[in-house]
Amino acid sequence: MKLALDLDGTLISCEPRQSAVLQAVLAQCGERVDLGRVWELKRNGASTEQALVQLGIDPTSARRASKSWRHSIEAPVWLALDSVFPGVTVVLGAMRAVGWRPFVVTARSQREWVPQQLERLGLSPWLDGVVVVPPHEAATDKAAVLRDLSAVAFFGDTESDFGASRAAGVPFYAVGGGQRCAAFLARAGVKQVHIDLAAAWSAFLTEPGRNSDC
């Protein structure tokens, strides 16, 4: 039986890379903002452009900076800043130990770098497969993947992941340490948000009627 897991914000960090790219982009424009505040706003639902405008950047400059940010965010030099969240490989190992097959289902523009990144981070041996969808229709495309995989559950960190789960009719297990905070996910309709993947996995195992022997 298959389990689907988002990558960014669920298995690996988001903030260091996103903040570093934004700092570099803004420096080229002669602009500066509080990067911590940007991340806080984004965790509460804002886009990069919206966060910059809220922090006083001129809308035209914010739009230009956001475009440059999107263009650079998946470059290998920046992907090197990502790291695996503590305990993730332990959870993936536990999934496989009881017969579940974990698949990464992620949205990236440059899919060619994903397998290399998973290998570098040491995640590849723990996964049964990786599916990369374009980011512009992530929820719709992830839902299609969930259906194709016949996934039993989807572990993710955004409202887009939640939307994909609902569209596919697959139970969603949210983590609140990624790109969206627990309060925002709750406002988006997620009934329970877990502190990390280990907590979400425990909740999955304790669902009524769940048999750990799949």
Side-chain angles (χ1 to χ4, degrees), residues 129-193:
V130 180
V131 183
V132 183
V133 303
H136 55 277
E137 293 288 348
T140 299
D141 289 342
K142 284 185 177 183
V145 172
L146 296 177
R147 288 190 290 265
D148 289 344
L149 289 174
S150 298
V152 174
F154 187 27
F155 297 80
D157 68 305
T158 67
E159 70 278 17
S160 176
D161 295 333
F162 178 48
S165 289
R166 287 196 300 179
V170 173
F172 183 60
Y173 293 84
V175 298
Q179 300 196 79
R180 300 301 196 210
C181 68
F184 175 82
L185 290 171
R187 292 194 298 272
V190 179
K191 292 183 178 180
Q192 186 172 9
V193 182

Side-chain angles (χ1 to χ4, degrees), residues 186-208:
R187 292 194 298 272
V190 179
K191 292 183 178 180
Q192 186 172 9
V193 182
H194 307 281
I195 190 171
D196 57 17
L197 183 63
W201 170 239
S202 294
F204 171 82
L205 289 177
T206 56
E207 280 288 321

Side-chain angles (χ1 to χ4, degrees), residues 4-110:
L5 304 99
D6 177 57
L7 180 60
D8 299 297
T10 302
L11 303 185
I12 66 175
S13 60
C14 294
E15 189 274 335
R17 171 164 52 104
Q18 292 197 22
S19 293
V21 174
L22 185 58
Q23 184 176 41
V25 165
L26 291 175
Q28 294 175 350
C29 304
E31 300 278 7
R32 293 182 63 183
V33 295
D34 182 334
L35 296 172
R37 285 284 294 127
V38 172
W39 183 241
E40 180 183 345
L41 289 168
K42 292 180 72 170
R43 292 247 301 150
N44 277 279
S47 66
T48 300
E49 180 178 340
Q50 290 167 342
L52 292 176
V53 171
Q54 289 184 55
L55 293 175
I57 301 295
D58 173 80
T60 300
S61 298
R63 188 175 306 111
R64 186 182 304 117
S66 178
K67 183 178 180 180
S68 296
W69 182 87
R70 290 194 303 272
H71 179 76
S72 302
I73 193 64
E74 293 181 27
V77 65
W78 298 117
L79 290 174
L81 297 178
D82 289 344
S83 60
V84 180
F85 283 133
V88 161
T89 56
V90 174
V91 174
L92 294 176
M95 290 175 174
R96 293 169 64 89
V98 293
W100 294 98
R101 300 175 60 196
F103 284 74
V104 158
V105 180
T106 187
R108 291 279 186 92
S109 296
Q110 300 183 45

